[in-house]
Amino acid sequence: MTMTGGDAILRSLEAEDVDVMFGIPGGAIMPTYDAMARGTAVRHVLARHEQGAGHMAQGYARASGRVGVAIATSGPGATNLVTPIADAWMDSTPLVCITGQVRSSLIGTDAFQECDITGITMPIVKHSWLVQDARELGATLKAAFHVARSGRCGPVLVDIPRDVQEATVDFSYPAEVDLPGWRPPTKVHPLQVREAARVIATARKPVLYVGGGTLNGDACAELLRLAEAGSLPVVTTLMGKSAFPETHELHFGWPGMHGAKWSNLALNSCDVLVAIGARFDDRVTGKLSAFAPGATVVHLDIDPAEISKLRDADIPVVGPLRTAVAALADEVVRHRAEHAPVPETWLAQLRAWREQYPLRYGTSEEWLKPQQVLQSLQRLTAGSDVIVTTGVGQHQMWAMQYVLSERPRSFITSGGLGTMGYGIPAAIGAKAARPEAKVVCVDGDGCFQMTAQELVTATLEDLPIVVVLVNNAHLGMVTQWQDMFFDGRRSHVHLTSQLPDYARLAEAYGGVGMVVTDEAQLDAALAEALELDRTVVVDCRVDPAEQVFPMIPAGAAALDMLEYSDAGENMEVRAL
């Protein structure tokens, strides 16, 4: 069919079964937006900032398991996408970013809104393309989606000059992708799987250390079968949260800097550590040389570059995790049938540690505690179809600790890059992916103010979300570090709890605003917010002095953990 390049872009998205894209129009992308006016089956969500559009596409991808699509103009529109692209790179989120570019004849002349976005993003994308001929649009976009979703997922960028969008082309979308140099692993080596299963089945103290790659690889059902077949304890990272049901008797928490003590004891006392889609991040391991000393390491990953990158793998298993974990489960079943012993003593020890070292915090008659907010949210949403997103900081860690995830893809956060402002747009994207689910963003007051304008997107696009604002009037995590490691010298972290008026701001954006100042108001306010089919901001004003514990100081060994020490009369104990 003969059409413009802009129409060809839309036909390509339709051929990839894209149902929604997130973006903002501008000069260099206008021919494609003009094609949208002529008609497309792809819904367009109009963001209020390109960073918001990128994070929406990430939230969509993380909630659905499909490729997220963001679209922007050249120059500042494209550079505003850099943070979401970097975030997607760090967290292996499949993303196709389409940017307009100045006319081909103007490239290299410092034209208005010209920017070498392919050069800028080169270190943080799997691949990027500058399309110079409209006849290449179909093949390029076919390749872009294939690269984004295959192998280790990640972002790609397609930069398209305005004249290419305006050109007339005889368009057909290719049935097959033509990338002879792109060969991600498609199989696993059976001998490696058998050896891994033998070591796991005969271990006295095995642990499954599960990362976000398990979710990206759609291996959650296989993980559950492996754990149950072998009676293997599971510890999930922040990015792996929701890959395994956290109400399951074999789930033993979250490792790392703010993970539970029993979880860190499990990883650092095991004799066989099975890393599944995890990358031995510094926030998990602490001092790497002291992490899991003496353990035999089995490492399963789709990306061969991750194997032995930080911790030597004794038994590497490279390949698609769904295939690898399923094959491993089959082998472990066989070993158990042949009477390989179940690690009952080890499981009893883990349960004892969980009982001995629960999460805890002090209560106050003067202040609402942030942990109480998250516990209330957990009570009110337990068993329901809810997706939780977060910003980055203290509230993110409390959400990890106190909100339990039961279904895959039900907890979405920024891990590797730690992007403040991620939570609200990611929630909107998740709602677009899963409109039947209740979507809750647990946010901090610092993060909220970075992307609050996207609340109007939620309102006008009929993508209602609930924002539970953990408002401590500070940049909380920075404050905690200044108090603990900089002799209490607080520098530029005070935000105030009254300005802006978050409840009235929510109303200004077309939503509902609520303010909670004590525990007596908490359950009723959250219940009402969850019941309303509108965008709601619940401003929970919490103790500004509260810190996140446990905590492993940066660079310290995982067992050199700082714990909550004020065990007074008003002590709440979190039992799992």
Side-chain angles (χ1 to χ4, degrees), residues 205-210 233-237 252-257 259-275 278 280-281 283-286 290-297 311 346 350 353 552 558-559:
K205 299 184 292 182
V207 170
L208 303 183
Y209 156 42
V210 175
V234 177
V235 173
T236 49
T237 68
F252 286 93
W254 325 268
M257 181 170 281
K261 185 171 183 177
W262 71 84
S263 310
N264 283 299
L265 283 169
L267 286 187
N268 287 277
S269 304
C270 68
D271 60 0
V272 173
L273 181 66
V274 186
F280 295 88
D281 177 74
R283 284 298 193 262
V284 168
T285 65
F291 180 71
T296 297
V297 174
R311 174 67 181 263
W346 175 233
L350 296 181
W353 280 336
I552 302 168
L559 295 182

Side-chain angles (χ1 to χ4, degrees), residues 285-310:
T285 65
K287 185 179 180 181
L288 185 61
S289 61
F291 180 71
T296 297
V297 174
V298 178
H299 195 170
L300 289 74
D301 208 287
I302 183 68
D303 185 1
E306 285 297 334
I307 302 295
S308 298
K309 184 177 82 174
L310 294 172

Side-chain angles (χ1 to χ4, degrees), residues 10 13 18-26 29 32-33 36-37 40-48 53 56 69-73 98 432 457 460-463:
L10 299 181
L13 297 182
V18 174
D19 58 354
V20 61
M21 55 183 160
F22 307 87
I24 300 178
I29 198 69
T32 298
Y33 273 83
M36 292 182 203
T40 177
V42 183
R43 177 185 182 182
H44 180 276
V45 171
L46 179 61
R48 292 317 189 256
M56 289 175 201
V69 177
I71 185 166
T73 192
I98 299 171
T457 305
L460 295 180
E461 296 283 350
D462 193 24
L463 296 170

Side-chain angles (χ1 to χ4, degrees), residues 124-352:
I124 53 171
V125 294
K126 292 181 72 176
H127 197 67
S128 60
W129 293 261
L130 173 61
V131 183
Q132 301 181 67
D133 188 327
R135 292 171 295 184
E136 298 173 358
L137 282 168
T140 300
L141 287 164
K142 181 78 173 181
F145 277 88
H146 179 73
V147 171
R149 71 165 76 94
S150 61
R152 182 177 181 171
C153 299
V156 299
L157 183 133
V158 183
D159 196 30
I160 309 173
R162 178 167 176 154
D163 56 297
V164 174
Q165 300 169 54
E166 293 172 333
T168 301
V169 61
D170 290 328
F171 177 77
S172 63
Y173 198 66
E176 301 292 333
V177 67
D178 183 21
L179 285 173
W182 176 249
R183 296 189 184 91
T186 58
K187 300 177 181 179
V188 295
H189 199 297
L191 293 180
Q192 295 297 96
V193 171
R194 287 175 202 157
E195 179 62 13
R198 183 192 65 79
V199 168
I200 293 166
T202 57
R204 294 184 304 109
K205 299 184 292 182
V207 170
L208 303 183
Y209 156 42
V210 175
T214 308
L215 289 159
N216 290 336
D218 290 323
C220 299
E222 291 73 17
L223 170 67
L224 179 62
R225 180 167 174 260
L226 171 63
E228 291 182 336
S231 297
L232 303 172
V234 177
V235 173
T236 49
T237 68
L238 177 68
M239 293 305 301
K241 189 175 170 71
S242 82
F244 191 84
E246 296 182 331
T247 53
H248 197 287
E249 63 178 358
L250 289 172
H251 187 262
F252 286 93
W254 325 268
M257 181 170 281
H258 293 292
K261 185 171 183 177
W262 71 84
S263 310
N264 283 299
L265 283 169
L267 286 187
N268 287 277
S269 304
C270 68
D271 60 0
V272 173
L273 181 66
V274 186
I276 304 176
R279 57 188 181 87
F280 295 88
D281 177 74
D282 62 287
R283 284 298 193 262
V284 168
T285 65
K287 185 179 180 181
L288 185 61
S289 61
F291 180 71
T296 297
V297 174
V298 178
H299 195 170
L300 289 74
D301 208 287
I302 183 68
D303 185 1
E306 285 297 334
I307 302 295
S308 298
K309 184 177 82 174
L310 294 172
R311 174 67 181 263
D312 286 341
D314 298 287
I315 306 172
V317 180
V318 176
L321 286 185
R322 190 172 185 178
T323 302
V325 177
L328 188 59
D330 289 341
E331 287 295 312
V332 169
V333 167
R334 182 176 64 81
H335 279 282
R336 288 287 184 256
E338 294 173 358
H339 308 296
V342 172
E344 291 290 359
T345 302
W346 175 233
L347 291 170
Q349 175 64 79
L350 296 181
R351 288 189 288 267

Side-chain angles (χ1 to χ4, degrees), residues 400-417:
M400 178 191 73
Q401 293 174 342
Y402 290 96
V403 177
L404 300 183
S405 301
E406 300 178 33
R407 297 174 179 82
R409 302 188 179 278
S410 60
F411 189 88
I412 299 171
T413 193
S414 171
L417 198 64

